[in-house]
């Protein structure tokens, strides 16, 4: 996706700050475990990840092009941006961790390949696919009808956005009427902003109060405003919201909707150059790890269980062209 594809490091810093600052005290929110690993809440952000691993399945590995099997590596492109829990650096500031790499590693294990990851800017992920430099991108890429013209996709996660409110609220959001009269923050220029503006207009047309939409200069300000009561909720990418809830323990998810709005359920997918001969192998590997339960364990580890897909699909309906 475009403006929701990554989160800034400042969001990560805010999510971690109330817990990391407790390291010197008696709080067990941030602890040092075996071999120096560190945890934020229940999330291990240390370099020693004890990553969930899979085993080669010969029948699935046989789906790979011969050149890739012989090479023995999965040349993986990843976004260099800090996007907890999807991809970011561990406490040693050099080890890359996150759910996207964990899932890519499971797929590579199933295919009998070793992951060789290179971190690049968002636009260079696609340049790398176009040039054949990367075999795959696992980096929160949403399936769109426009992208399907150049790339093949094997889905592995729902693309949702989430309403996050202070912990303990009984308010829940499922449809436009649930946000009528509320004050909600959102990032400018994002898909979630478009959806929220549309919901507000629909409320006014139905005779309900509009949404008061707030914008802030810094990402960290959204959560500060939430805790101070200046806003009722923040609408943002579901992975970021889930990670913040798990790490900071001050808020809760009160509703999730598709990043595609009412038109289509958005989906995140392993991405490869169209016609590369790799997408069927990715889908088969993903369906294998879904069936054996390791996929669910990875998502649970990063607080993303609500975004699980029951099956990996090849090139499903994507977000429509705009």
């Amino acid at each position: 996706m475009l403006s929701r594809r990554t989160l800034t490091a400042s969001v990560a810093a805010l999510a971690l700050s109330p817990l990391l600052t407790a390291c010197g005290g008696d709080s067990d929110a941030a602890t040092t475990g075996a071999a120096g690993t560190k945890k934020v809440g229940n999330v291990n952000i240390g370099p020693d990840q004890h990553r969930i691993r899979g085993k080669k399945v010969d029948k699935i590995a046989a789906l790979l092009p011969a050149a890739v099997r012989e090479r023995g590596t999965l040349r993986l492109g990843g976004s260099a941006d800090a996007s907890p829990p999807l991809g970011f650096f561990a406490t040693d500031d050099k080890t890359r961790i996150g759910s996207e790499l964990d899932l890519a590693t499971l797929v590579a294990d199933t295919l009998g390949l070793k992951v060789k990851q290179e971190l690049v800017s968002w636009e260079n992920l696609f340049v790398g696919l176009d040039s054949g430099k990367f075999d795959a991108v696992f980096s929160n890429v949403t399936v769109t009808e426009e992208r399907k013209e150049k790339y093949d996709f094997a889905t592995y996660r729902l693309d949702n956005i989430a309403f996050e409110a202070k912990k303990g609220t009984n308010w829940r959001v499922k449809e436009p009427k649930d946000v009528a009269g509320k004050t909600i923050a959102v990032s400018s220029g994002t898909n979630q902003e478009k959806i929220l503006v549309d919901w507000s207009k629909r409320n006014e047309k139905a005779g309900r109060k509009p949404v008061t939409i707030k914008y802030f200069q810094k990402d960290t300000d959204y959560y500060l405003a939430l805790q101070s009561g200046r806003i009722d909720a923040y609408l943002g990418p579901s992975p970021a919201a889930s990670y913040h809830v798990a790490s900071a323990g001050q808020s809760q998810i009160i509703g999730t909707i598709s990043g595609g709005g009412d038109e289509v359920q958005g989906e995140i997918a392993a991405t490869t150059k169209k016609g590369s001969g790799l997408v069927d192998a990715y889908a088969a590997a993903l369906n294998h790890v879904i069936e054996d339960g390791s996929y669910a364990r990875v998502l649970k580890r990063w607080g993303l269980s609500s975004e699980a897909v029951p099956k990996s699909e090849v090139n499903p309906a994507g977000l429509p062209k705009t």
Side-chain angles (χ1 to χ4, degrees):
M1 63 200 342
L2 297 178
S3 53
R4 287 188 296 110
R5 65 187 179 265
T6 57
L7 310 173
T8 62
S10 56
V11 171
L14 178 67
L16 301 178
S17 61
L19 298 168
L20 292 181
T21 53
C23 290
D26 297 328
S27 172
D28 61 359
T31 60
T32 301
T37 59
K38 294 183 180 293
K39 289 187 177 181
V40 173
N42 292 321
V43 182
N44 176 8
I45 61 167
D48 190 353
Q49 283 288 290
H50 306 292
R51 188 169 282 119
I52 297 165
R53 303 300 298 264
K55 294 182 179 180
K56 181 181 179 181
V57 179
D58 291 336
K59 184 178 180 180
I60 298 176
L63 298 173
L64 290 168
V68 178
R69 290 201 307 272
E70 292 169 5
R71 188 204 316 140
T73 58
L74 177 67
R75 300 175 305 181
L76 182 68
S79 174
D81 291 334
S83 308
L86 305 177
F88 59 113
F89 286 103
T91 51
D92 63 355
D93 291 326
K94 61 182 180 180
T95 303
R96 193 68 173 181
I97 63 175
S99 62
E100 303 288 66
L101 182 56
D102 280 9
L103 288 173
T105 300
L106 270 183
V107 168
D109 287 345
T110 304
L111 296 173
L113 302 175
K114 293 183 178 180
V115 172
K116 183 179 180 182
Q117 185 184 49
E118 182 176 343
L119 302 178
V120 296
S121 62
W122 173 258
E123 61 275 11
N124 280 322
L125 292 174
F126 299 96
V127 172
L129 288 173
D130 294 342
S131 67
K133 180 180 182 180
F134 298 143
D135 301 311
V137 166
F138 282 70
S139 196
N140 205 39
V141 179
T142 302
V143 181
T144 71
E145 289 302 308
E146 183 175 3
R147 287 175 181 161
K148 281 165 62 178
E149 295 175 358
K150 293 184 64 177
Y151 307 101
D152 285 323
F153 297 94
T155 60
Y156 62 83
R157 209 181 73 242
L158 298 179
D159 174 22
N160 288 334
I161 57 178
F163 291 88
E164 186 178 357
K166 286 184 72 172
K167 193 172 185 177
T169 182
N170 293 321
W171 172 38
R172 298 293 181 268
V173 178
K174 293 183 179 179
E175 54 187 323
K177 67 178 183 180
D178 298 326
V179 297
K182 297 291 188 179
T183 300
I184 300 176
V186 71
S187 295
S188 178
T190 61
N191 281 353
Q192 55 263 33
E193 180 195 23
K194 294 178 183 178
I195 292 171
L196 191 59
V197 169
D198 176 63
W199 278 24
S200 184
K201 290 178 179 179
R202 287 160 66 178
N203 279 331
E204 287 189 276
K205 188 175 181 179
R208 296 185 290 262
K209 291 182 179 180
V211 179
T212 299
I213 301 176
K214 294 289 187 180
Y215 303 93
F216 294 92
Q217 291 296 318
K218 298 179 180 179
D219 294 318
T220 52
D221 292 341
Y222 290 105
Y223 288 121
L224 294 175
L226 184 62
Q227 291 307 312
S228 68
R230 286 180 288 152
I231 60 174
D232 296 306
Y234 170 51
L235 177 60
S238 183
S242 297
Y243 184 79
H244 183 256
V245 167
S247 59
Q250 299 173 331
S251 56
Q252 67 185 70
I253 305 299
I254 60 170
T256 58
I257 58 175
S258 168
D262 296 335
E263 296 183 80
V264 64
Q265 171 59 61
E267 293 193 78
I268 303 299
T271 308
T272 185
K273 185 177 182 179
K274 199 164 193 68
S276 68
L278 289 162
V279 72
D280 289 335
Y282 297 156
L286 283 162
N287 283 321
H288 173 74
V289 299
I290 288 171
E291 291 169 5
D292 74 12
S294 54
Y295 164 84
R297 290 167 59 203
V298 167
L299 292 190
K300 182 179 180 181
R301 182 178 188 225
W302 294 105
L304 299 176
S305 296
S306 64
E307 297 196 357
V309 295
K311 180 182 180 181
S312 177
E313 296 185 80
V314 173
N315 295 330
L319 271 60
K321 292 182 179 180
T322 57

